[in-house]
C-alpha cells in the first residue's frame, strides 16, 4: 500500500475538517473510516463499517492531515468491500463512467420511474445541456504563448460544450494556440475512484491517457474542472502510475497571468458592481487551495465579490444524484442557500459543472464557471465599444 | 508561470494567520501556503501570555513577569508594547467575528481544566470560562464525553478551591450515539433542531441559584453564540465552556472564522508542501515556484510539521532541509531568525527561546513574533521603495 498509509497519529485534524461529519451524525468520520479501518484490515479484519459510502471523496481530510495519511484513498479502498443491492450496483457502475453517461446528454429529462428504479434522487436536478453559441473574441492581445491543450472533461464535453469554446476563445485572446483534448469522450477516473472502484478508475484513466497521447505536443494542460485538475496533476502520478509530459494548470491560474491590457479592458465594462459569490469546490481547495476565484473575479472588475461559506456544496460529482445521499447533499449546501439569501448575488462562480447545478438548485441563482463570467464580461467590453 | 504577491506566508497555524492578517489589514497581498491544517483545531484557542515561573509557580501578573524576566530580547520588557499588541489582537478578533471583551485584561485569569484543576490563562473568547477568583460553580455532565466527567471535575475543583461545585447531567437527543465526541455534539447543537432540543433539555434542569454553569466545550461551532444564548436564557445565568482535548471545538471556531475573514480580504490559500525557500520565493513539492517581495515561515514545531525528527534522532527543518540539532541537545538552538536581511524570517512555534510547554506563553509567542516580523517587513518594503 502507499507510503504513510499507516502513519496516523490520531490527532483528529482530519475529523475537524470533514464536511460530512458536520451534517450527518451517522457518519463515523475520516479517522475511523480511513486509518483506523485500515489498521484493522491489515490485521485481518475484513468487515466494512456502516455509512462508509457517505464519504464524498472531497479529500479535505487528507489535505488537513499533518503526516500525509492518504485518508480519503483509504476510505475509497474501504468502500470497495461494501455490499450493495443490485439496483445500487447497477447505478454505481453507470455513474462511475460519467463519460458514457454524458453521451446521452441531449436527453434532458430522466423519467421519474427510471429514477426511482435506478435509486437516483428525485430531489436533486440532473445535468441539462447548456446551449450557447460562442464566437471568437478578436485578435490575440499578447504575442504567441505557445500551444496548450484544453482538457475536454466528460462533463463539459457532454453538457457544456459552449464552456470549452469560451475557455478556448479566452486562451486564444491571451495568445495561446489551443487544442481541445481528448477528442473522444473519456474520463480521468475520478468518478470511479470516488465510488470506491480504484481498479476501474485506473482502467478508465489509462484509456484517457492513451487518447491524450494522440494529440500534438503541448506546453501545458489546462483544466476547467477542479476535480479533473487534481486528478490529473496529483492523483495520476501518485495513485494511477500515470503521468503527463507537461504541467497541469487550472484555467483560473492561467487566467490570472493574462496580460494587463486584458484586465484594463475588463475594467472598462459598466455594470460590474454586481454581487458575485465565488465557490472553490472542495477538490479545488485540496488540489491547489482557495481564494483564486475571488482574486480572479475582483481582477475582472466585479467589485462586490464574496467567497462562499461552504467547504463543500454537497454535489461531489454524482454523489448528490444518489438517493441515499440526497439529505446529506442538501444539508451541505444549506449554508450557501443562507448566504445567498443574505447577499442576494447576481451569480455564483464555481470551478465544477456538477457543483454548479447543485448550487443553482439550492440558491436559485445562476452558477457558472469562471471562463463563462470572464467571456461574458469581455463580450460586454466588445459590445460597449472597444475604442476606449 | 509564477504567481506573485507582496508576501508568501508558509503555514496556517495561529502565527501564519496573524501575520497574514497584519499584511491584509494594510492592503498587502498575501499568498498563504500550507501543507496541512495548522494547530488551532487541536486546542481551545486560549492565548497564554505567561503562566508559569521557572519553578513552575503560577504567574498572576504576566506584564510584570515580562518586565522582570527579559528572555531573548530587550523589547519584550516593555509593557506598553505588549498592551498595544494585545489590543490589536482584540480589535482584529472583533472584526473577524470572534467575540471578545472590549478591554484587554490586566492580569491572568483562572480557567478550569477538563480535570477540574485551575490554571492561569490570559486572552480568551467570550465562550471560554474564566474567572478572576474561584467561586461556586455548576458543571454539566455530557453523556459519552470521556474527557470531561463532571463529577470528577467538581470533586477536584472543590478540593482545590474550597468552593461548592454542583453537577447535572444533560439528557441525550434522539439519534445520539455513544461514540459522539465533542464535535458531534457541537455540530448537532449548531442546527435549529439541536438548539430547540437543548432549550427543552435545560428547562428540566432549571433550579434557583446564581452560580455560573460550566459546560464542556460542545456548544456549537458556527452558531455557538446562538447556542450560548439559548442556554443562558433558559438557565437564567452565565454559561461558558471548558475546552477539551482534540478535536477542540473552540479552536475550530476560531480557525473557521479567521480563515474566512482572510479569504474575504483576498488572500490566496495555496495547499502545497514547501520544499525550499529563500527571501523572495518558495519551491513547492510539485516543482512549482511562487515569488513575492518577502517570505515568512510560520511552519510550526515538530507537531506542526515545520520540524521533522529523523530516525537517527536528528531534527530537520522541512523547508530548508537543514539539520538543526538532535533530540536531547539544548534543543533547536539555531532555528530562530529575526533579522530580515540575513535569512527568511521565522515566526510562531518554530522560533526558539519561548518554550510554551514549560512557560505557558504560546499565545504571546505567536503575537510577538508575528509583530516583530511584520515590523521588519514594512521596514524592508519602505527601504525597497526608497531604493
Ligand atoms: C495540543 C496543543 C495545545 C495547545 N495549547 C495552547 C494553550 O493552551 N495556550 C496557548 O497559548 N497556545 C497553545 N497551543 C499553541 C502553541 O503554543 C503554538 O502557539 C502553536 O501550536 C504554534 O503555532 P504555529 O502557527 O507556529 O504553528 P502550527 O499551528 O503548528 O502550524 C504550522 C503550519 O505550517 C505548515 N507547514 C509545516 N511545514 C510545512 C512545509 N514544509 N510546507 C508547507 N507548510 C508547512 C503546517 O501544515 C501548518 O499549517 C497549543 C498547541 C497544541 C498543538
Ligand atoms: S473525503 Fe471528505 S467526506 Fe470523505 S471523510 Fe474525507 S473529508 Fe470526509
Ligand atoms: S489528520 Fe492524519 S494523523 Fe491526524 S487523525 Fe487524521 S489521519 Fe490520523
Amino acid at each position: 500500500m502507499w507510503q504513510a498509509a499507516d502513519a496516523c497519529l490520531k490527532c483528529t485534524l482530519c475529523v475537524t475538517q470533514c464536511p460530512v461529519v458536520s451534517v450527518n451524525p451517522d457518519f463515523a468520520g475520516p479517522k475511523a473510516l480511513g486509518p483506523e479501518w485500515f489498521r484493522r484490515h491489515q490485521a485481518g479484519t475484513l468487515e466494512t463499517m456502516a455509512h462508509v459510502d457517505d464519504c464524498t471523496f472531497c479529500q479535505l481530510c487528507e489535505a488537513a492531515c499533518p503526516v500525509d495519511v492518504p485518508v480519503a484513498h483509504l476510505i475509497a479502498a474501504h468502500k470497495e468491500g461494501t455490499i450493495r443491492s443490485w439496483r445500487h450496483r447497477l447505478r454505481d457502475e453507470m455513474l462511475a463512467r460519467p463519460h458514457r453517461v454524458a453521451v446521452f446528454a441531449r436527453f434532458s429529462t430522466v423519467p421519474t420511474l427510471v429514477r426511482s428504479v435506478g435509486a437516483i434522487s428525485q430531489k436533486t436536478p440532473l445535468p441539462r445541456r447548456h446551449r450557447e453559441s460562442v464566437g471568437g473574441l478578436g485578435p490575440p492581445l499578447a504575442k504567441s504563448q505557445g500551444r496548450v491543450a484544453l482538457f475536454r472533461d466528460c462533463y463539459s464535453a457532454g453538457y457544456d460544450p459552449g464552456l470549452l469554446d469560451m475557455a478556448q476563445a479566452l486562451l486564444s485572446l491571451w495568445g495561446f494556440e489551443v487544442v481541445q483534448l481528448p477528442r473522444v469522450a473519456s474520463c480521468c477516473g475520478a468518478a470511479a475512484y470516488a465510488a470506491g472502484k480504484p481498479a476501474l478508475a485506473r482502467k478508465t484513466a489509462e484509456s484517457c491517457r492513451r487518447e491524450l497521447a494522440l494529440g500534438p505536443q503541448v506546453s501545458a494542460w489546462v483544466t476547467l474542472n477542479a476535480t479533473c485538475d487534481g486528478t490529473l496533476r496529483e492523483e495520476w502520478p501518485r495513485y494511477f502510475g500515470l503521468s503527463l509530459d507537461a504541467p497541469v494548470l487550472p484555467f483560473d491560474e492561467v487566467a490570472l497571468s493574462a496580460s494587463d491590457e486584458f484586465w484594463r479592458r475588463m475594467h472598462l465594462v459598466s455594470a460590474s458592481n454586481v454581487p458575485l459569490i465565488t465557490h472553490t469546490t472542495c477538490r479545488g481547495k485540496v488540489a491547489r487551495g482557495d481564494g483564486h476565484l475571488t482574486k480572479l473575479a475582483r481582477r475582472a472588475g466585479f467589485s462586490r465579490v464574496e467567497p462562499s461559506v461552504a467547504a463543500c456544496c454537497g454535489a461531489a460529482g454524482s454523489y448528490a444524484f444518489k438517493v441515499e445521499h440526497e439529505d446529506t447533499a442538501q444539508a451541505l449546501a444549506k449554508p450557501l442557500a443562507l448566504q445567498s439569501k443574505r447577499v442576494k448575488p447576481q451569480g455564483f462562480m464555481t470551478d465544477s459543472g456538477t457543483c454548479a447545478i447543485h448550487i443553482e438548485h439550492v440558491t436559485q441563482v445562476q452558477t457558472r464557471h469562471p471562463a463563462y463570467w470572464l467571456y461574458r464580461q469581455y463580450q460586454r467590453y466588445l459590445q460597449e465599444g472597444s475604442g476606449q | 508561470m509564477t504567481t506573485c504577491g507582496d508576501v508568501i506566508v508558509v503555514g496556517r497555524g495561529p502565527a501564519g494567520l496573524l501575520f497574514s492578517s497584519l499584511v491584509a489589514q494594510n492592503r498587502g497581498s498575501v499568498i498563504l501556503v500550507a501543507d496541512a491544517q495548522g494547530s488551532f483545531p487541536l486546542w481551545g484557542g486560549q492565548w497564554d501570555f505567561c503562566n508559569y515561573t521557572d519553578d513552575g509557580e503560577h504567574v498572576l501578573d504576566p506584564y510584570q513577569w515580562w518586565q522582570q524576566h527579559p528572555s531573548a530580547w530587550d523589547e519584550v520588557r516593555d509593557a506598553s508594547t505588549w498592551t498595544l499588541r494585545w489590543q490589536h489582537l482584540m480589535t482584529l478578533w472583533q472584526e473577524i467575528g470572534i467575540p471578545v471583551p472590549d478591554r484587554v485584561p490586566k492580569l491572568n485569569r483562572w480557567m478550569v481544566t477538563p480535570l477540574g484543576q485551575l490554571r492561569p490563562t490570559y486572552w480568551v473568547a467570550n465562550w471560554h470560562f474564566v474567572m478572576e477568583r474561584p467561586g461556586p460553580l455548576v458543571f454539566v455532565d455530557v453523556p459519552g464525553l470521556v474527557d470531561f466527567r463532571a463529577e470528577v471535575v467538581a470533586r477536584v475543583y472543590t478540593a482545590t478551591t474550597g468552593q461548592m461545585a454542583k453537577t447535572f447531567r444533560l439528557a441525550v437527543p434522539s439519534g445520539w450515539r455513544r461514540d459522539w465526541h465533542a464535535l458531534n455534539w457541537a455540530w448537532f447543537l449548531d442546527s435549529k433542531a439541536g438548539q430547540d432540543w437543548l432549550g427543552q433539555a435545560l428547562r428540566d434542569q432549571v433550579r434557583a441559584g446564581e452560580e455560573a454553569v460550566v459546560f464542556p466545550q460542545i456548544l456549537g461551532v458556527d452558531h455557538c453564540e446562538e447556542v450560548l444564548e439559548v442556554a443562558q436564557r433558559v438557565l437564567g445565568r452565565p454559561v461558558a465552556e471548558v475546552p477539551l482535548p482534540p478535536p477542540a471545538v473552540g479552536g475550530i471556531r476560531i480557525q473557521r472564522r479567521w480563515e474566512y475573514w482572510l479569504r474575504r480580504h483576498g488572500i490566496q490559500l495555496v495547499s502545497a508542501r514547501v520544499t525550499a525557500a529563500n527571501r523572495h520565493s518558495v519551491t513547492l513539492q510539485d516543482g512549482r515556484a511562487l515569488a513575492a517581495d518577502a517570505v515568512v515561515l510560520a511552519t510550526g514545531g515538530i507537531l506542526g510539521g515545520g520540524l521533522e525528527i529523523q530516525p537517527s534522532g536528528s531534527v530537520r527543518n522541512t523547508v530548508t532541509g537543514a539539520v538543526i540539532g538532535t533530540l536531547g541537545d539544548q534543543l533547536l538552538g539555531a532555528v530562530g531568525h529575526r533579522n530580515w536581511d540575513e535569512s527568511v524570517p521565522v515566526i510562531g512555534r518554530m522560533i526558539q527561546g519561548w518554550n510554551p510547554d514549560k512557560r505557558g506563553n504560546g499565545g504571546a509567542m505567536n503575537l510577538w513574533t508575528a509583530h516583530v516580523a511584520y515590523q521588519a517587513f514594512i521596514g524592508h518594503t519602505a527601504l525597497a521603495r526608497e531604493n
Side-chain angles (χ1 to χ4, degrees), chain B residues 11-15 35-36 39 46 48 119 274 299-300 304-305 318 349 363 366:
Chain B
R12 62 197 264 206
D35 182 32
S39 66
Q46 61 280 9
D48 292 329
R119 80 153 172 92
V274 172
T299 43
T318 58
R349 187 82 190 204
N366 296 324

Side-chain angles (χ1 to χ4, degrees), chain B residues 266-307:
Chain B
I267 77 141
Q268 223 172 311
L269 272 162
V270 173
S271 89
R273 186 168 190 79
V274 172
T275 50
N278 61 39
R279 277 166 50 203
H280 302 296
S281 73
V282 297
T283 308
L284 309 183
Q285 196 165 33
D286 62 12
R288 278 181 298 165
L290 306 178
D293 296 339
V295 174
V296 173
L297 297 186
T299 43
I302 286 162
L303 216 61
L307 302 176

Side-chain angles (χ1 to χ4, degrees), chain A residues 336-352:
Chain A
L336 279 176
L338 295 175
Q339 185 182 16
S340 183
K341 267 202 192 126
R342 181 171 53 76
V343 178
K344 301 191 177 50
Q346 194 215 31
F348 275 81
M349 179 190 272
T350 192
D351 45 6
S352 154

Side-chain angles (χ1 to χ4, degrees), chain A residues 156-227:
Chain A
S156 304
Y159 299 98
D160 205 355
L163 180 70
L164 285 159
D165 296 337
M166 291 180 207
Q168 171 155 359
L170 285 160
L171 288 164
S172 307
L173 182 69
W174 301 330
F176 294 99
E177 183 195 329
V178 185
V179 283
Q180 292 192 22
L181 291 171
R183 296 210 172 91
V184 303
S186 317
C187 169
C188 63
Y193 216 125
K197 300 176 187 302
L200 175 64
R202 260 173 232 121
K203 233 175 77 190
T204 311
E206 277 158 12
S207 113
C208 178
R209 177 72 189 85
R210 281 193 297 274
E211 286 299 329
L212 297 181
L214 300 176
Q217 194 74 31
V218 294
S219 63
W221 294 90
V222 180
T223 58
L224 293 178
N225 182 297
T227 301

Side-chain angles (χ1 to χ4, degrees), chain A residues 19-352:
Chain A
V20 173
V21 170
S22 73
V23 297
N24 177 346
D26 294 329
F27 187 63
K31 174 162 125 330
L33 294 164
E36 287 178 1
W37 163 83
F38 177 68
R39 282 180 179 153
R40 281 199 307 280
H41 188 265
Q42 291 295 86
T45 312
L46 296 179
E47 276 157 46
T48 57
M49 292 167 71
H51 292 280
V52 60
D53 276 347
D54 291 355
C55 163
T56 62
F57 201 57
C58 71
Q59 304 184 10
L60 287 164
C61 49
E62 216 164 289
C65 178
V67 290
D68 297 333
V69 174
V71 193
H73 292 81
L74 291 174
I75 298 176
H78 187 171
K79 284 179 187 170
E80 260 187 301
T82 311
I83 296 163
R84 301 178 181 85
S85 73
W86 67 267
R87 285 195 303 150
H88 285 208
R89 279 207 308 276
L90 196 69
R91 175 201 65 187
D92 294 353
E93 285 298 326
M94 184 184 80
L95 292 178
R97 296 169 173 84
H99 54 305
R100 303 260 179 266
V101 180
V103 171
F104 300 100
R106 61 200 137 94
F107 304 112
S108 55
T109 49
V110 178
T112 311
L113 182 67
V114 175
R115 285 198 186 204
S116 142
V117 173
I120 300 279
S121 166
Q122 307 278 358
K123 289 188 200 159
T124 312
L126 299 179
R128 279 164 178 259
R129 196 174 182 138
H130 284 284
R131 292 166 207 282
E132 276 142 345
S133 61
V134 178
L137 295 174
L141 294 176
K143 62 176 181 359
S144 171
Q145 307 276 311
R147 186 195 290 139
V148 294
L150 181 61
F151 182 71
R152 231 172 125 254
D153 61 277
C154 52
Y155 178 86
S156 304
Y159 299 98
D160 205 355
L163 180 70
L164 285 159
D165 296 337
M166 291 180 207
Q168 171 155 359
L170 285 160
L171 288 164
S172 307
L173 182 69
W174 301 330
F176 294 99
E177 183 195 329
V178 185
V179 283
Q180 292 192 22
L181 291 171
R183 296 210 172 91
V184 303
S186 317
C187 169
C188 63
Y193 216 125
K197 300 176 187 302
L200 175 64
R202 260 173 232 121
K203 233 175 77 190
T204 311
E206 277 158 12
S207 113
C208 178
R209 177 72 189 85
R210 281 193 297 274
E211 286 299 329
L212 297 181
L214 300 176
Q217 194 74 31
V218 294
S219 63
W221 294 90
V222 180
T223 58
L224 293 178
N225 182 297
T227 301
C228 312
D229 182 65
T231 308
L232 295 181
R233 187 174 50 246
E234 291 180 359
E235 300 196 84
W236 270 23
R238 202 176 297 165
Y239 299 102
F240 294 74
L242 295 172
S243 63
L244 285 165
D245 39 16
V248 178
L249 299 171
F251 174 82
D252 47 69
E253 236 168 71
V254 180
L256 279 169
S257 57
S259 69
D260 290 345
E261 177 57 15
F262 175 73
W263 301 114
R264 192 189 68 80
R265 293 184 178 191
M266 295 289 264
H267 276 261
L268 295 176
V269 179
S270 60
S272 61
N273 191 22
V274 285
L276 198 66
I277 296 180
T278 52
H279 177 76
T280 304
T281 59
C282 46
R283 290 293 298 272
K285 290 187 179 86
V286 173
R288 61 179 209 285
D290 204 349
H292 305 65
L293 297 186
T294 306
K295 194 167 171 175
L296 189 67
R298 288 188 182 150
R299 194 174 281 180
F302 292 97
S303 48
R304 290 166 61 199
V305 183
E306 188 171 308
S308 111
V309 291
C312 165
C313 72
S318 56
Y319 181 89
F321 303 146
K322 300 182 183 177
V323 69
E324 68 276 25
H325 296 151
E326 62 189 14
D327 291 342
T328 300
Q330 297 289 324
L332 286 170
K334 202 170 157 208
L336 279 176
L338 295 175
Q339 185 182 16
S340 183
K341 267 202 192 126
R342 181 171 53 76
V343 178
K344 301 191 177 50
Q346 194 215 31
F348 275 81
M349 179 190 272
T350 192
D351 45 6
S352 154

Side-chain angles (χ1 to χ4, degrees), chain A residues 279 313 336 348 350 355-364 367:
Chain A
H279 177 76
C313 72
L336 279 176
F348 275 81
T350 192
C355 299
I357 305 171
H358 194 58
I359 295 172
E360 210 161 83
H361 170 61
V362 294
T363 63
Q364 301 295 311
T367 306

